[in-house]
Amino acid sequence: MLRLGRREFGEHEPVIMAIVNRTPDSFYDQGATFRDEPALARVEQAVAEGAAIVDIGGVKAGPGEEVDAAEEIRRTAGFVAEVRRRHPDVVISVDTWRHEVGEAVCEAGADVLNDAWGGVDPRLAEVAARYGVGLVCTHAGGAEPRTRPHRVGYDDVMADVLRVTVGLAERAVALGVRRDAVMIDPGHDFGKNTRHSLEATRRLDEMVATGWPVLVSLSNKDFVGETLDRPVKERLVGTLATTAVSAWLGARVYRVHEVAETRQVLDMVASIAGHRPPAVARRGLA
């Protein structure tokens, strides 16, 4: 069982986390949801299309304009409060590595802290424990926030992913974070080249075997673009293929831009696996 906010998710229930960027320079939507009105509309659409979680981010993952903690809080905390007011049952996640931001968004009503930079600020897990919220523990290969990998190497990339993510998860529980609110993330593209991300996907069942719920953030990422030689706006097919493989291997949570398309992929995989009946089953019965 995975328990986040007011929601409980069963072992075979795939969960969609919709991306809502509160940044003017996001790599995919180029700031389309930086202002409040389009961002709130994005939340409405994502929930209608089947997202159980919205993941709100106030800082672009890659290099760019410097954003200090105060500005990150300005971009996220008030928005979290408004989403909480409008959607009392939706799970609200905030993508941050800073404990100061974690404090502010938890006060505003966040349910999950999505630490995409691998515990670079160890106090963030302490905030999660103190507020009783969930935590995403990610492998970032020791990279500093907002940096790109350069000639990074691993003797065994999945062994390193397991060592880091399971270690972060166990530390979080020791600090007081609920075990059923902790997820681990292989961190596609973070501290990795394309071959590393492909191998992490291929061996995702090793993460699933740890017993921690696995979150994957695959949507339109560079490893998909490089694998297929496609620009950002032409990576949906590759993303959905990677999503299907990840679902078959047992991932639980999917951080995505395209909610409706992802919902269909996850429902199809769940039905093939025998965890979900067909929505309609008339063929051969009429």
Side-chain angles (χ1 to χ4, degrees):
M1 185 69 69
L2 180 62
R3 293 197 299 124
L4 304 170
R6 297 184 180 185
R7 302 287 300 273
E8 293 186 353
F9 304 98
E11 179 183 0
H12 299 299
E13 182 179 359
V15 183
I16 294 178
M17 171 189 274
I19 299 166
V20 182
N21 290 315
R22 303 308 317 282
T23 58
D25 53 355
S26 48
F27 91 98
Y28 182 68
D29 60 28
Q30 299 297 304
T33 53
F34 183 48
R35 294 185 300 109
D36 286 351
E37 294 82 0
L40 289 167
R42 162 67 176 161
V43 173
E44 294 278 354
Q45 179 186 9
V47 172
E49 291 177 346
I53 307 172
V54 293
D55 188 50
I56 298 163
V59 183
K60 177 183 176 181
E65 177 188 351
E66 183 179 352
V67 180
D68 62 17
E71 173 62 14
E72 187 180 356
I73 290 169
R74 189 191 69 78
R75 294 178 179 184
T76 55
F79 186 73
V80 167
E82 181 60 19
V83 173
R84 172 55 66 228
R85 187 184 71 80
R86 296 188 183 202
H87 300 276
D89 293 326
V90 76
V91 178
I92 299 175
S93 169
V94 175
D95 181 349
T96 186
W97 74 88
R98 293 170 166 142
H99 76 273
E100 305 98 321
V101 178
E103 292 264 7
V105 298
C106 286
E107 285 287 344
D111 302 301
V112 177
L113 297 176
N114 181 10
D115 182 7
W117 289 102
V120 68
D121 181 348
R123 295 176 66 183
L124 189 64
E126 298 172 12
V127 172
R130 188 160 64 253
Y131 282 89
V133 303
L135 183 69
V136 180
C137 301
T138 307
H139 179 272
E144 288 294 315
R146 309 194 67 194
T147 62
R148 299 195 189 282
H150 179 68
R151 299 190 182 280
V152 62
Y154 301 93
D155 292 334
D156 182 328
V157 65
M158 183 49 76
D160 204 71
V161 167
L162 292 172
R163 177 184 62 81
V164 170
T165 58
V166 171
L168 289 170
E170 290 176 344
R171 175 180 180 268
V173 171
L175 288 170
V177 180
R178 285 186 293 104
R179 178 172 287 272
D180 59 5
V182 175
M183 295 155 278
I184 59 174
D185 178 353
H188 289 81
D189 276 359
F190 281 59
K192 299 171 188 66
N193 61 33
T194 290
R195 288 184 173 85
H196 293 143
S197 291
L198 290 171
E199 182 172 352
T201 306
R202 186 164 58 248
R203 298 173 60 186
L204 203 63
D205 56 341
E206 295 178 40
M207 293 189 75
V208 173
T210 66
W212 297 100
V214 175
L215 179 150
V216 287
S217 184
L218 312 167
S219 194
N220 302 295
K221 283 197 167 178
D222 285 348
F223 83 96
V224 175
E226 288 194 355
T227 298
L228 301 177
D229 193 17
R230 290 290 184 269
V232 170
K233 293 297 184 179
E234 297 178 17
R235 297 176 183 177
L236 176 58
V237 173
T239 296
L240 295 178
T242 313
T243 298
V245 170
S246 299
W248 189 257
L249 292 176
R252 297 281 299 281
V253 183
Y254 302 81
R255 183 178 180 272
V256 305
H257 296 98
E258 292 90 359
V259 174
E261 294 87 342
T262 302
R263 182 78 272 161
Q264 289 188 49
V265 169
L266 295 177
D267 285 350
M268 193 70 199
V269 173
S271 295
I272 294 169
H275 304 316
R276 172 189 178 273
V280 178
R282 293 188 293 261
R283 182 174 176 81
L285 300 177

